[in-house]
Amino acid sequence: MHGHDRRKFLGLCLGGITFTLMGAAIYPVFKFLAPLQTRKSAGKVEIRQQDLAEGEAKFIEFGGEPAVVVNSGEHGLIALSAVCTHLGCIVQWQRDKRRFLCPCHAGLYTESGEVISGPPPKQLPKLPLSVNNGIITVG
Amino acid sequence: MKISKKTYDWLETRLGIEELIGKSLKGYLLPRNINFWYSMGSILLFIFALQGITGILLLIYYVPDAEKAFNSVKAIMNEIPFGWFIRTCHVIGASSMVFFLLLHMLSVLFMGSYKSPRELNWLSGFMLFTLVLAISLTGYLLPWSQLSFWATTVATNSVGTIPLIGDFLLEFLRGGKLVGPPTLGRFFALHVAVLPVTIAVFVMIHLFLVKRIGISTPPFGLDDTKNRWDDGKFRYEDHPGGIPFFPHYLLQDLTSIALYLAIFVFFVFFTPSLFFPADAFIPADSLRTPAHIKPEWYFLANYQALKLFPNEFIGIIVQALAMTFIAFLPFLDRGKEKHPLKRPVFTACAIGGILIFLALTIWGHYS
């Protein structure tokens, strides 16, 4: 009985050591594989207002994701996420029709991001935007 | 009935696990006088696995482009979390692979385990040794540092001394007249695809042969130490009344691996600089050769030996002959005796060979 207890104790110790060592080996591998922290643009993105004529759209990267700034004229300047809310493709700006088209499954959005037709379940998220001295700042 | 028991029973019905364990593990009997040296193979398998894992991890961040390779390695060392750890493990693992292969081969030599009917075991093992040297050489270039660039230049240059076809072979190997971006592409493909697959195939052949022919009996602790194999027909060398592989010898294997890991971890954490000379931290410059460029420790003997011959080609031929002699040793040494002390000529020559190798290595290091 005494020997049995000792065997159990040693087994537990061995198990504990193995478990700890496995953790010590897996942790660095996990950290190595984990995505690097994307520099969430504390970063604001700035573009010159004169570079964005009426009816034009400019694609930028904001917070590690594609975004778009549109000069819609009627609604003024709008900043939107350029990631389609359906399956994550990047929308294209159709200048002549003043709308966004998702080339993957033909989702259509208005220039302010509302869904016109197709599979997207919700509108394109709006991004904060301000204009100062001819400089458009997203973020 | 518990779900685990149900799953086990389901698998048992389909795979016959108990019979498999009984026959292949508990019923796999090893000689009673088996010793520590028989666990070298397990240590090597463990090192191969670790090299495979760390190599795949490094592939995630390494860029095999001459313009970007050095910076990608720099990023692995300085920016990627634990990148330095993974790379240092890979670098020191490469040296360990060669070191333990040498130990494995020496133990087989001294215990006479290469003798009939195990010529093919030895030959496949020797092939593994040359493949490991090749994978080490090709991997050495990948960081694209001054060290790797010029060590590869020196190492591949010897090919050019072969009469008539030397220049063609050298250019073919490098992908150009000199080591350059095309060489990196070639060596990368060899290092991450061709050689690992070839090594895996040879490991399987080697293990198949070990299992098929049976483990050799060590010559120590026996009165009669002669090789009992009778030429003519196949016979599995069994060991009635021997030690079961599971759990007895597996425990010895695990102990040896743990011991290896302790030494390995010591080198990784306390002496990594041993494996990274100063030139390893300077990006490759094809117009500036650093002074005293030297190969890795396991090539130092060959490097120094080449300098002793008046003609490089003769030096290469002599070394190639020596390697061929070792590869075909079981076909030349047909004696039945296995105990090292009962075959003094062989033992004296083997010890002499080791001493020459060590002397050349030390000389090469300090030359």
Side-chain angles (χ1 to χ4, degrees):
Chain A
M1 199 59 197
H2 186 68
H4 199 71
D5 284 348
R6 193 173 67 168
R7 173 171 283 203
K8 201 172 167 186
F9 172 73
L10 288 173
L12 273 174
C13 287
L14 195 64
I17 292 169
T18 311
F19 187 75
T20 312
L21 289 178
M22 290 289 281
I26 290 169
Y27 178 73
V29 174
F30 175 77
K31 292 294 280 181
F32 182 82
L33 291 173
L36 293 172
Q37 290 297 317
T38 38
R39 286 179 286 274
K40 285 275 177 198
S41 7
K44 298 175 187 244
V45 180
E46 292 185 343
I47 45 179
R48 290 190 304 178
Q49 195 170 10
Q50 66 188 57
D51 292 344
L52 200 63
E54 191 183 327
E56 294 284 343
K58 193 167 177 65
F59 284 80
I60 54 171
E61 195 180 296
F62 175 73
E65 282 186 14
V68 61
V69 183
V70 191
N71 185 351
S72 74
E74 190 186 332
H75 297 103
L77 290 161
I78 306 164
L80 300 165
S81 161
V83 182
C84 178
T85 54
H86 178 218
L87 290 177
C89 299
I90 305 304
V91 295
Q92 293 171 351
W93 173 241
Q94 295 186 309
R95 190 177 188 276
D96 49 340
K97 293 176 182 161
R98 296 279 185 113
R99 65 185 188 185
F100 289 104
L101 164 73
C102 176
C104 289
H105 302 97
L108 285 174
Y109 300 89
T110 65
E111 56 194 348
S112 51
E114 277 100 30
V115 179
I116 302 170
S117 66
K122 52 186 179 185
Q123 64 176 45
L124 294 171
K126 283 200 166 62
L127 302 173
L129 173 145
S130 60
V131 185
N132 208 348
N133 294 331
I135 300 292
I136 305 167
T137 308
V138 180
Chain B
M1 205 190 306
K2 273 187 184 170
I3 187 92
S4 55
K5 173 84 173 90
K6 264 187 174 174
T7 313
Y8 179 80
D9 286 348
W10 190 88
L11 287 170
E12 171 60 34
T13 317
R14 279 145 189 90
L15 301 172
I17 302 167
E18 274 173 24
E19 193 213 347
L20 196 71
I21 292 174
K23 214 157 98 180
S24 307
L25 298 174
K26 289 179 183 166
Y28 180 36
L29 299 179
L30 307 174
R32 292 191 71 82
N33 59 338
I34 196 162
N35 56 43
F36 161 79
W37 294 101
Y38 276 66
S39 58
M40 288 297 127
S42 301
I43 294 179
L44 279 165
L45 272 181
F46 178 79
I47 301 175
F48 283 147
L50 212 57
Q51 286 303 92
I53 294 168
T54 50
I56 290 169
L57 289 173
L58 289 173
L59 266 180
I60 296 170
Y61 297 105
Y62 174 74
V63 186
D65 177 324
E67 296 289 321
K68 299 172 183 165
F70 184 81
N71 281 334
S72 70
V73 173
K74 201 165 86 177
I76 289 171
M77 293 298 272
N78 299 325
E79 290 164 31
I80 314 293
F82 291 100
W84 63 270
F85 177 64
I86 306 286
R87 181 169 178 239
T88 311
C89 283
H90 196 70
V91 168
I92 297 179
S95 276
S96 315
M97 226 167 23
V98 180
F99 181 73
F100 279 89
L101 261 168
L102 286 171
L103 282 187
H104 189 33
M105 289 171 83
L106 285 176
S107 70
V108 166
L109 275 179
F110 281 108
M111 289 192 274
S113 304
Y114 59 91
K115 296 191 172 206
S116 296
R118 296 188 175 79
E119 296 94 332
L120 293 176
N121 298 38
W122 174 263
L123 210 53
S124 57
F126 188 85
M127 280 304 295
L128 276 169
F129 178 64
T130 50
L131 286 167
V132 162
L133 289 181
I135 205 168
S136 306
L137 181 77
T138 49
Y140 208 59
L141 178 68
L142 304 190
W144 208 245
S145 64
Q146 275 291 71
L147 179 73
S148 57
F149 185 93
W150 292 103
T152 306
T153 299
V154 173
T156 51
N157 212 35
S158 310
V159 179
T161 60
I162 300 171
L164 301 173
I165 54 164
D167 286 340
F168 169 76
L169 276 181
L170 182 61
E171 205 173 324
F172 193 80
L173 179 69
R174 288 176 172 173
K177 290 213 178 299
L178 299 169
V179 172
T183 324
L184 183 63
R186 280 155 193 261
F187 276 37
F188 177 72
L190 285 171
H191 186 75
V192 306
V194 181
L195 290 168
V197 172
T198 319
I199 286 175
V201 169
F202 271 91
V203 166
M204 281 190 269
I205 293 172
H206 194 69
L207 290 178
F208 167 76
L209 289 167
V210 169
K211 198 82 171 66
R212 182 73 185 143
I213 301 167
I215 290 274
S216 66
T217 312
F220 307 116
L222 299 171
D223 293 334
D224 182 4
T225 51
K226 285 202 173 67
N227 179 14
R228 290 270 138 235
W229 190 69
D230 192 16
D231 288 82
K233 61 178 181 188
F234 173 77
R235 182 176 68 83
Y236 173 75
E237 186 172 343
D238 56 355
H239 303 281
I243 300 169
F245 174 73
F246 179 83
H248 297 71
Y249 203 73
L250 185 66
L251 207 59
Q252 172 63 64
D253 276 342
L254 291 176
T255 309
S256 303
I257 290 170
L259 203 64
Y260 161 73
L261 262 179
I263 300 166
F264 175 73
V265 166
F266 173 83
F267 279 111
V268 169
F269 286 104
F270 295 101
T271 61
S273 53
L274 258 183
F275 299 85
F276 296 109
D279 286 326
F281 299 103
I282 304 167
D285 182 347
S286 59
L287 300 175
R288 197 170 55 86
T289 309
H292 310 300
I293 203 81
K294 287 205 180 111
E296 274 292 81
W297 65 267
Y298 39 84
F299 286 126
L300 276 176
N302 307 65
Y303 161 82
Q304 186 59 29
L306 276 182
K307 290 201 268 181
L308 299 179
F309 290 95
N311 176 313
E312 203 178 348
F313 178 62
I314 297 171
I316 288 171
I317 287 290
V318 170
Q319 293 193 25
L321 284 175
M323 289 289 271
T324 314
F325 174 76
I326 296 170
F328 289 98
L329 184 64
F331 300 94
L332 305 166
D333 177 7
R334 309 297 295 176
K336 291 270 181 193
E337 185 54 59
K338 288 170 75 183
H339 197 291
L341 296 180
K342 292 179 184 171
R343 41 191 186 124
V345 176
F346 170 86
T347 306
C349 289
I351 291 175
I354 296 167
L355 290 177
I356 290 172
F357 177 82
L358 288 177
L360 284 171
T361 302
I362 295 166
W363 191 4
H365 178 73
Y366 288 106
S367 66

